Amino acid sequence: MNESYRAFFGLVKEPFGTELSIKEILETPDLKGVKDRFDYAVRLGAVALVTGEVGSGKSTALRYAASHLHPSAYCVFHITATSGSIIELYRQLLGELGTDTASFSKAVLLKRIRREIVEMVCGKKIHVVLVIDEASLLRMEVLAEIHTLCQFEQDSKPWLPLIMAGQANLVDKLMYRSSLPLASRIVARSHLEGVNRQDMEVYLKHHLAIAGVKTPFFDETAITAIHQGAGGLFRKANHLARGALIAAAHDQSLTVSADHVRLAATEIF
Ligand SMILES: Nc1ncnc2c1ncn2[C@@H]1O[C@H](COP(=O)(O)OP(=O)(O)O)[C@@H](O)[C@H]1O
Ligand SMILES: [Mg+2]
């Protein structure tokens, strides 16, 4: 896509990017809500859920919450779920634990995971946290078994907190009887909605500031159009906002209006 819009607007980097550093994350009330619930589940050694539409900021919120755990005391294992079997999930986790995952049976894989985690928790006194993103992709039979990963009862306290993020159908899947052992350990839930117009304006300004902009280019009509077009969702807003900048640069206009957003919208789903 046309890169010259960056020079036209004097942007020091690609705006509305996905590779945000922790410091670049906008601290919204929703984000703090996720962090509080994340911390609570970690303290209890229990399960927390983060649900929301695609692009509502779930993965960013997980990264933000995990970044606040002290790295010398906590080790966070981050897995992106697939629709594969539980063996695949165990392999992914063992890969994160830095262990060989050759063709062992399910029972052996589980034993190895437990051994590694017990060694970290008891031997090295490190708190281990498991984060599963895109958990709505997990099969029912995987959700039915996953709790066995978390049961390391000693001093009557489970050791492995689990934070799962995914789309709203994750909750539906957890209502099935087979998911009950896992669902019964859920102590906190956050649901990320699209933001309102005012918060969208703050969001857009924040991302422009990251790209080195002091005076935002979006006029009021553009902000409304981005907010409505994106349904308040951040990822879609990123695409619309960037597309609108490109359209405005094409017009040699330093002000971005709703017309530019509409032009951008014709190329975006
Ligand atoms: N708190 C935030 N601050 C700044 N940008 C954010 C924030 N939350 C989300 N974003 C932006 O929105 C995009 C989509 O967010 P993401 O966390 O990937 O959503 P989800 O995991 O719900 O699909 C990110 O790449 C980032 O650009
Ligand atoms: Mg995500």
Side-chain angles (χ1 to χ4, degrees):
M1 192 62 102
N2 184 359
E3 290 292 321
S4 63
Y5 78 98
R6 273 173 53 182
F8 181 77
F9 284 107
L11 306 175
V12 295
K13 63 182 197 174
E14 184 75 21
F16 305 102
T18 50
E19 315 260 303
L20 297 181
S21 69
I22 298 295
K23 272 193 257 138
E24 290 172 338
I25 293 176
L26 177 67
E27 294 186 334
T28 62
D30 271 353
L31 199 75
K32 290 184 182 141
V34 171
K35 180 186 171 300
D36 288 347
R37 287 167 178 81
F38 185 109
D39 289 344
Y40 180 61
V42 168
R43 272 203 307 281
L44 291 180
V47 180
L49 292 188
V50 183
T51 53
E53 292 285 322
V54 173
S56 57
K58 302 179 295 295
S59 303
T60 306
L62 290 178
R63 216 153 57 80
Y64 173 83
S67 75
H68 284 77
L69 297 175
H70 202 288
S72 64
Y74 289 89
C75 195
V76 182
F77 293 106
H78 199 109
I79 288 177
T80 302
T82 68
S83 54
S85 67
I86 189 106
I87 293 203
E88 210 163 295
L89 186 84
Y90 288 169
R91 290 224 171 90
Q92 272 182 289
L93 181 52
L94 276 171
E96 289 290 309
L97 287 161
T99 304
D100 168 33
T101 62
S103 54
F104 293 118
S105 69
K106 186 162 86 179
V108 174
L109 290 172
L110 184 58
K111 210 165 131 188
R112 286 196 157 211
I113 292 171
R114 284 166 172 276
R115 201 172 61 205
E116 292 287 334
I117 292 175
V118 168
E119 166 58 19
M120 290 182 83
V121 175
C122 294
K124 300 183 185 155
K125 305 286 178 219
I126 294 172
H127 300 277
V128 177
V129 180
L130 178 58
V131 173
I132 304 184
D133 202 355
E134 305 291 356
S136 41
L137 290 176
L138 293 172
R139 289 189 205 164
M140 291 302 301
E141 65 262 30
V142 175
L143 287 170
E145 266 193 75
I146 243 174
H147 68 283
T148 56
L149 268 180
C150 307
Q151 282 169 346
F152 295 89
E153 302 277 339
Q154 198 188 47
D155 300 334
S156 73
K157 199 173 168 229
W159 294 339
L160 187 61
L162 170 63
I163 319 295
M164 295 200 293
Q167 293 178 55
N169 67 327
L170 173 60
V171 174
D172 302 333
K173 287 184 169 181
L174 287 166
M175 306 243 271
Y176 278 82
R177 202 177 162 71
S178 58
S179 307
L180 196 62
L182 178 63
S184 67
R185 298 191 56 236
I186 297 171
V187 294
R189 268 165 76 170
S190 316
H191 182 73
L192 301 184
E193 306 262 3
V195 298
N196 63 26
R197 188 197 176 281
Q198 198 183 344
D199 291 344
M200 183 58 83
E201 182 167 358
V202 173
Y203 175 80
L204 295 171
K205 279 190 179 148
H206 175 81
H207 267 274
L208 284 177
I210 292 172
V213 176
K214 291 192 185 69
T215 318
F217 313 109
F218 298 106
D219 72 11
E220 293 294 319
T221 66
I223 294 165
T224 301
I226 292 171
H227 175 247
Q228 287 180 354
L233 297 169
F234 290 151
R235 186 174 305 129
K236 196 158 181 199
N238 287 347
H239 295 322
L240 281 173
R242 196 185 307 107
L245 285 178
I246 292 168
H250 188 75
D251 271 0
Q252 298 287 300
S253 167
L254 278 171
T255 305
V256 183
S257 71
D259 287 339
H260 300 124
V261 178
R262 274 184 218 113
L263 266 174
T266 59
E267 305 207 21
I268 293 168
F269 280 94

